Amino acid sequence: MASPISDDKKVRRRMQVLSLHLGANKVSPMSLIGSNICLSGEESELPEEDPVFNDRSNALFRMVAGKHRSIHEPILYYFRQHPELVNPVEMLKDEHRELTMRQLEAIVWEIGLRPLTLLSQDPAKYFALTEAVGHVDLSLGIKLGVQYSLWGGSVINLGTQKHRDKYFEHIENLEYRGCFAMTELHHGSNVQALQTTATFDKETDEFVINTPNEGATKWWIGNAAVHGQFATVFARLILPSSGSAGDTDMGVHAFIVPIRSLQTHAPLPGVEIRDCGFKVGLNGVDNGALRFHHVRIPRDNLLNRFGDVSKDGVYSSPLPTLNKRFAATLGELVGGRVGLAAGSVGVLKAAATIAIRYSLLRQQFGPPNKPEISILDYQSQQCRLLPMLASTYAFHFATDYLVDRYVEMKKTLDDEVIADVHALSAGLKAYVTAYTAKSLSICREACGGHGYAAVNRFGSLRNDHDIFQTFEGDNTVLLQQVSADLLKQFKKKFEGRALTVTWNYLRDSMGTYLSQTNPVVTHRDGEGHLRDPNFQLDAFRYRTARLLQTAAFRLRKLTKQHGSFEAWNLCLNHLLTLAESHIETVILEKFIHAVNRCDDKTAKSRLKLLCDLYALDRIWQDIGTYRNQDYVAPNKAKAIQRLVEHLCHEVRLVAKELVDAFGIPDFILRAPIGLKSRQYSEYSHIVGF
Amino acid sequence: MASPISDDKKVRRRMQVLSLHLGANKVSPMSLIGSNICLSGEESELPEEDPVFNDRSNALFRMVAGKHRSIHEPILYYFRQHPELVNPVEMLKDEHRELTMRQLEAIVWEIGLRPLTLLSQDPAKYFALTEAVGHVDLSLGIKLGVQYSLWGGSVINLGTQKHRDKYFEHIENLEYRGCFAMTELHHGSNVQALQTTATFDKETDEFVINTPNEGATKWWIGNAAVHGQFATVFARLILPSSGSAGDTDMGVHAFIVPIRSLQTHAPLPGVEIRDCGFKVGLNGVDNGALRFHHVRIPRDNLLNRFGDVSKDGVYSSPLPTLNKRFAATLGELVGGRVGLAAGSVGVLKAAATIAIRYSLLRQQFGPPNKPEISILDYQSQQCRLLPMLASTYAFHFATDYLVDRYVEMKKTLDDEVIADVHALSAGLKAYVTAYTAKSLSICREACGGHGYAAVNRFGSLRNDHDIFQTFEGDNTVLLQQVSADLLKQFKKKFEGRALTVTWNYLRDSMGTYLSQTNPVVTHRDGEGHLRDPNFQLDAFRYRTARLLQTAAFRLRKLTKQHGSFEAWNLCLNHLLTLAESHIETVILEKFIHAVNRCDDKTAKSRLKLLCDLYALDRIWQDIGTYRNQDYVAPNKAKAIQRLVEHLCHEVRLVAKELVDAFGIPDFILRAPIGLKSRQYSEYSHIVGF
């Protein structure tokens, strides 16, 4: 463990860094550091003409990469100036863990960012920070998330003012490094079945934290193996009875438990720590296992926002039931999913950039007696990569919307917004991370042998990103939450109650979508019709409405026969498809909205092209469903397939510009085959020599 | 570089090893070593009651894992006795490279296998060897493939008797370690465009090997970075004109080029060697780059089976044209694809075993007030993993057939068999490796957090296997070869000529498949009909026949407008789908055949269940196509979907037995969550502590 460097040294380093990247400009370095950075307006004060961000004049760049330049640029510049802090291609787990910790310290101590302040005051900037550090290394993004979103977030969101007073600043400046100890060896998704106990001892005014069996060991806990000094431990709150009645289990609550000495860094008495070892990826994060042997903590360490215990052992809560308290506790963790969805789009942007630039560069085969052609000129390569590019844009706008809704939720605390953000964040996290995971493999394959060189990053991106599908809620479980919410909304609709914003289309148009399809429309196959956003949205909404209605009917029928648990299981594939269909609909709506609000003519035409490709490719991928309901006639299905191929060809012509707009600078992207500034003539250098 | 250990030591080690795993049994150790192993019959002489292979009494095990026990068992036993030679979970590239070399030496020097002899005399056993060493570590499988299949195989298949006399024994015993230097920096798939030259110098009776530019650098060459002493170099054979005419380019030929000194192991003069560095996977194989600066080799080093140059510089060949010589040269490399397809199925078996065993073990959620249920009891988990299990069996029988056809080809040298094996090996390699690659990700996801522990092997299996999709022919390119062959067969059919065996169904029934579908059959949706192999095969053949006919028509039309190159490109997606559809048809045929020939009642019913699941899941996955042609009516489509879910449920009941039949012993499988012998109560040990 390194101790924080001295203040003097910190300031000196900051000034060095800033003078390097600001050069002779008249911008005040102080406007870029400390809280000035975090809380400044949208516009960065870095010079417009800076060659690294020279796409600023491009309207697409401004829309896509421009929004959070004030957060991104100081971080990216810092790592350009400190190549010794950038991850080498090959390293052992232990080296990686130390480097990641150094990187995080640099962000806080040297660049002077205040992530916990951002998280609580300006979450959109916090998520932008997550994306930027993810471009440096995904382990850094997760290490930051563990310290601030999980450890810090649990303290400030599940605790009360006394906890904020005591912990906030220490967490912010990395003096208190912490863990989020929820998952156990035997229980990940089923949080309500956690077995660790926190028994109140009135005599000493303490809770006793205990691991009753091997299966209750806290497992996969980030920051636990090496760096953590505290943990937010999720445990069943047990109140011993005063009389002859048994103990009372109040359900899962969160407690702050010190795990290592702040002085010696040794594990504290009763705390057994093991190392979860080498993982498929994210080896910069030190996951560990924790067992508690009757560890005593003060009563004040209960994070008591949703439930408290008095000195006399009396339980109180602003919420009436155990289930509501449980939902409120987990509900506060929704920010993690927003961050993962946004971070996953960042990974997809990087991978798409590398794969598409290389596919433009690489030439193989060609017409007889003519030069070889770029592999992106092949229809198969276009249809692998360009719908992916369209999806990247689609996800960018959808997660942007999610972040806005999250910010709104934190401000208003409106119940309807909360419900909406919960389902939307679960659905987008699941959908986007699953899509990105598949895309990373497709990108590697599309780049052939050179895609297999570690230096070109597909391997580490895939390995690191893989677990995004599992942590903060397994995707299969999250999609079921979306379906459950849709079914609740469906019921509300019949009861004439208000729907949450994101599902509004169901109220407006469910009837329309489920009436007989119009045979004329079913056969229309002209390009104008197929590229009409009304047709596209209708098709998406029709599918969701139909899946929802049939799911509700099947569930009702099967529940009578088999009970609700088994009925749900018998409809599980159906329910997962429903959730995906709904999320795709939301994504399309937000994309169409982004096209409409774009006021630059060229940028708008590019976005429209991508949006059409996104919509029609999705319809084509699920053409069986549309044909099965005769929503599209065979001639129309064929026309959609041909138009997708044609739109891919159109996108190919502007593909370079479209990936440039993601604005990931070469020194952060690093993959030699994917750099913007290299030429084909330098190819052997490009592939790593 | 270690030098071979002394003969005495070798024999001593062998005896130690064998006495350890044979114990007091009366089997002669010598029957298991040296050529006795390689050339013995199907039955291993290891004791029947051995606990490691205790599934011998199971008919499924005998069908699936039993065929090549005589090859598998000595290798697996050896590594059980030598844990120091088994790969640790985390290691650096350089350590991994040395370990892989030691493992290969152990196989040859200590177990006494003779891979090159197997390859040339009993290829089925060679492929079994590849699968077995792949279970130890895929780098070892590839290192073995580089030394024997690529380096050894090129010498014995492209050379003549003089080459076999000079090199065979030295390659066999690892005294001459070699590379296969085909791919160049700028040319992988397009082998005909390679730029390295081999210019004949009549004065000295030598060829001069030269790399004319950076792009012609030999790239990704296995064994080149560290261990290789020779390389089979593919280069354009240039004959200088005797008069004023320019040089004559005779096209690509193969040459044996020494690259390192046999004494000092230093690179030889004019040979520049670089290290291709860290890769996504397979870091036990030392890939390097080679540049040749006018390196001289004797004329005899031309591998002259298909083309020779006399002392006077006169070219001769048994084959009339450059294209035929090129095809014959590449054709000899088909064995590599057979090995990759079989090896890929081995990887799929291991991954499916781990994922399914863990899914039976892991419990999460359950009905109210009842115990939690296995995650394999969830419909979603069943539909992710069990069609994969069915496919694994399907691929097992299909690659087994491919190996038999390959053996037949090597014996008969019949033109029709050669053409058949070429297309079939290209198609199966592409299809199986793509499927396995996707499945490895699905398995990791299905095992959640514990699937992310490196010790559970999904990460390394995925990273190592990934490149199977690219090397020995990029999958996209190989599938096009299948389509090209199908189109050739289609043309033949119209000309009334004989078709190769695998495509026979096209001749027999093309007309039937393309006539109007029978509306009664279209609506039949009873289980008996859907599980009738005739319906299933008809559906697969219909799709292929239809895709083939429409591809031929589209190509003819588009060629007139755009020329053949562009027409092919405009149909590329169509052609890839056609190839996949054909390969799926072949796989189904072979699976049905395996069901029919199984004479054990229980085993037969299991196989029939898996075969139905394979067939109906594939039909459901492509239901859009079937609906588009009204080959199945909506009611039938729905019935297929429900039956797939039901069959998954049925397979779940026997899933344990089905993965046990793959016969991968625990000490080789290694993944703690996937072991056969562990119990749920030992779970914390199971996950790696």
Side-chain angles (χ1 to χ4, degrees), chain A residues 90 93 187 214 372 684, chain B residues 90 93 187 214 372 463 684:
Chain A
E90 185 186 15
K93 171 180 100 270
H187 290 98
E214 187 86 27
E372 293 184 295
S684 70
Chain B
E90 185 186 15
K93 171 181 101 268
H187 290 96
E214 189 85 28
E372 294 184 295
N463 288 336
S684 70

Side-chain angles (χ1 to χ4, degrees), chain B residues 44 166 193 251 354 364 391 414 499 534 575 654 656 660 687:
Chain B
S44 153
K166 187 167 172 189
I354 299 167
Q364 204 76 178
S391 296
D414 176 278
L499 306 191
N534 291 317
L575 293 163
V654 289
K656 186 185 173 306
D660 287 353
V687 295

